[in-house]
Structures are given as structure tokens and as C-alpha cells.
Amino acid sequence: ELVGPPRVRNILIAFILALGAGIGLAFLLDYLDDTLKSVDDVDRYIHVPALALIPSNRTERRLKGKVASGPPDGSETTALALIDDARSPVAEAYRHLRTSLLLSSAGQPPRTILVTSSQPSEGKTTTAVNTAVMLAQTGADVLLVDCDLRRPRVHAHFGIANGRGVTNYLSGDSDLESVMQ
């Protein structure tokens, strides 16, 4: 007769408890996860309709084995290159955004559009540049103001100098006409 703890029973009980705790933890983490994963989540949590869904170019680069880069230096694609192919999904998404913006307010299209985000590198410059280009293609007068004082990049996408701009105007050094490029 063997004397000792019932190992098989203890292992079975530990397995069942660990499985139950793992499933419970998975459900708890899913319940606590408040990230937005789809357009429906935007409408459900923020109660604001989404204007458009722009596909991420970084995902495509990663799948192709290329590294997503920071500011353009001429050797890497710029934000404008995303819409070079008029039939690409990205260009179509920006046309959809343009149409949504133009129809977003009753009576007349909005005169001012602000592109912002809570985190760096979320595509503010890319969205602003491509939206400005798409609006300009309709014949509208577009003034794109880069108010990013830490890492301004709009000038690089259009190939112009960054010698004057918002800070010159705000400090009183220049008038509005001289800072527009």
C-alpha cells in the first residue's frame, strides 16, 4: 500500500484551476481593452462618425520587408508618393476623405480643417499633405499650415525651404504674405 499525496488528483485540480484562471484573465483583459480596432469602435465609443479609413503604408512596407522611415530625405518615398498612383487604395481612401470633408457640414464645406493626434508618428503630416493635395485637385484654394514646432515636415514633402513660417509670423518678424510659400 502506497502512502503519499494523490499526485494525479492534485495535477488534475491544478490544471483545471490554471485553465479557469487563464480563461478568466483573457476575458478580463479583453473587457479592459479600450483601444479602437475598427470604424465601428470609433462610432460606439466616441459617438462621432468616421470620415474615412486610410490604410497604413507602414504595414505594407513591413510585409514587403522594407523598414518604415522617419522624415523623408529624398531617398525614401514621401507622403505625396502615396497618391501618385491614382488607382491605389491609398489614393482612393484620400479621395473618400476629401468627399466626406466636403459633405460633412450642411450648406457649405468647412473652411478650416485641423489634423491632430495624441501620439507622434501617427500620420498627421501625411494626412494633412494628401488631404491638401486632394482638395487642391478640386480647384479649391488650399493653405496648409504646419504648426508642428518640434518636427516640422510639410516643407520637405513639397521641396521648399524651412526658413520662414508660423514662428516668424507669431513673433511679429514677418507679415502673413511673406511667410506663405
Side-chain angles (χ1 to χ4, degrees), residues 2 24 33 37 40 45 47 53 58 63 78-79 85 88-89 91 94-95 131-133 138 140 144 152 161-162 171:
L2 295 171
D33 183 16
K37 294 180 179 65
D40 295 332
Y45 294 123
H47 307 293
L53 182 63
R58 281 187 227 153
L63 291 175
T78 66
D85 180 11
S88 72
Y94 280 110
R95 279 193 295 278
T131 304
V133 169
T138 66
L144 180 58
N162 190 21
S171 65

Side-chain angles (χ1 to χ4, degrees), residues 67-78:
V67 178
S69 69
D73 58 357
S75 64
E76 189 63 37
T77 63
T78 66

Side-chain angles (χ1 to χ4, degrees), residues 10 26 68 100 139:
N10 288 350
S100 296

Side-chain angles (χ1 to χ4, degrees), residues 42-63:
V42 173
D43 190 35
R44 184 175 338 154
Y45 294 123
I46 303 175
H47 307 293
V48 175
L51 294 175
L53 182 63
I54 308 295
S56 173
N57 193 39
R58 281 187 227 153
T59 305
E60 293 171 15
R61 282 192 207 154
R62 241 182 267 129
L63 291 175

